[in-house]
């Protein structure tokens, strides 16, 4: 595992003893961590760009953990969150989970419960990052298509035959076959079904110029 792939667990809690305890727990199982006393410290930090999750105390100075969860979402910062609190209740738990939290643990919690939640969060973040990387590659390949190739791709994935596409675009069937071959090669699609899946991932509108 490279340093870029090594996961990082961020911990935000205004209780220094809690930060030290969690940091020690994570170190004991080979996980690297960074701890912060406030949400502002976390935002100001230069964080590594690899798989990560956030262990977040609900009650923080300045801004609550739940409000900070909302702020992160509004800012487009996607990171799995595990809430910890000494004063949890059901409405608070429901709100956190509905907003995307992985887990909501009430202090004192078992070390294993926290570790299980962290591993679940890190696994989820790895999957999300992989999906984003694949989509970015797909978009790059799509952008390499010419305008006419994009038109042909849109019509192909909508289910039209080559001769129908030729009529739609006012060109010959042979020309459509050539463009279709270019599309399959540039998109690295081995079948029509795969090209259709790619179009769905790209959210291409059917039968429209893009």
């Amino acid at each position: 595992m490279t340093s870029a792939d090594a996961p990082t667990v961020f911990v935000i809690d205004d209780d220094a003893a809690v930060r030290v305890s969690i940091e020690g727990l994570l170190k004991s199982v080979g996980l690297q961590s960074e701890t912060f006393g406030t949400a502002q410290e976390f935002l100001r930090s230069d964080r590594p760009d690899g798989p990560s999750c956030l262990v977040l105390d609900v009650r923080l100075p300045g801004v609550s953990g739940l409000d900070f969860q909302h702020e992160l979402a509004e800012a487009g910062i996607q990171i799995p969150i595990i809430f910890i609190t000494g004063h949890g209740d059901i409405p608070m738990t429901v709100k956190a989970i509905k907003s995307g939290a992985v887990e909501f643990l009430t202090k004192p919690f078992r070390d294993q419960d926290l570790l299980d939640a962290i591993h679940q969060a890190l696994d989820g973040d790895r999957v999300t990052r992989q999906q984003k990387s694949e989509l970015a590659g797909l978009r790059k390949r799509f952008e390499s298509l010419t305008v006419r190739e994009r038109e042909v791709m849109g019509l192909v994935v909508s289910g039209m035959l080559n001769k129908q596409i030729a009529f739609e675009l006012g060109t010959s069937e042979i020309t459509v076959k050539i463009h279709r071959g270019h599309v399959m090669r540039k998109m690295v699609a081995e079948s029509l079904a795969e090209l259709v899946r790619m179009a769905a991932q790209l959210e291409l509108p059917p039968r429209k110029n893009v």
Side-chain angles (χ1 to χ4, degrees):
M1 183 180 292
T2 65
S3 58
D5 295 326
T8 304
V9 180
F10 301 107
V11 181
I12 305 178
D13 196 304
D14 61 340
D15 188 329
V18 171
R19 296 198 301 272
V20 170
S21 175
I22 294 177
E23 188 174 25
L25 172 64
L26 296 174
K27 187 176 181 179
S28 73
V29 295
L31 285 173
Q32 64 184 28
S33 63
E34 295 183 16
T35 65
F36 309 90
T38 67
Q40 291 70 28
E41 287 178 20
F42 170 79
L43 290 176
R44 289 194 299 264
S45 68
D46 185 16
R47 301 180 297 280
D49 185 24
S52 61
C53 70
L54 177 60
V55 177
L56 180 61
D57 189 14
V58 171
R59 298 200 173 184
L60 293 169
V63 59
S64 76
L66 292 172
D67 287 340
F68 187 55
Q69 178 188 33
H70 180 71
E71 287 181 16
L72 289 175
E74 288 287 304
I77 300 176
Q78 297 181 329
I79 181 170
I81 296 175
I82 299 152
F83 279 106
I84 56 176
T85 181
H87 310 279
D89 55 40
I90 292 177
M92 189 184 294
T93 304
V94 170
K95 181 178 179 181
I97 299 299
K98 278 189 173 181
S99 296
V102 174
E103 186 58 275
F104 195 102
L105 300 174
T106 303
K107 302 173 185 176
F109 45 78
R110 294 191 317 129
D111 288 350
Q112 192 58 52
D113 288 341
L114 177 60
L115 290 174
D116 287 347
I118 286 172
H119 284 299
Q120 178 186 343
L122 292 175
D123 288 344
D125 197 46
R126 286 190 190 94
V127 171
T128 298
R129 287 171 179 273
Q130 180 64 25
Q131 290 173 339
K132 284 183 178 179
S133 176
E134 290 174 357
L135 183 57
L138 194 58
R139 283 180 177 145
K140 189 173 182 179
R141 297 200 297 274
F142 180 72
E143 288 166 3
S144 75
L145 301 180
T146 65
V147 172
R148 179 46 61 95
E149 287 166 354
R150 294 183 192 185
E151 290 174 344
V152 170
M153 178 176 170
L155 295 170
V156 166
V157 300
S158 73
M160 293 178 68
L161 302 175
N162 287 346
K163 62 182 180 181
Q164 294 172 315
I165 296 173
F167 178 78
E168 178 83 10
L169 298 180
T171 188
S172 70
E173 190 172 344
I174 292 176
T175 300
V176 170
K177 286 181 180 179
I178 292 172
H179 285 311
R180 183 168 181 161
H182 290 167
V183 169
M184 298 296 284
R185 177 177 56 81
K186 290 182 179 180
M187 293 302 294
V188 195
E190 296 183 359
S191 66
L192 174 58
E194 189 174 1
L195 191 67
V196 170
R197 284 195 294 271
M198 290 177 176
Q201 285 180 273
L202 292 166
E203 299 181 344
L204 300 185
R207 302 191 62 174
K208 288 184 181 180
N209 297 349
V210 285

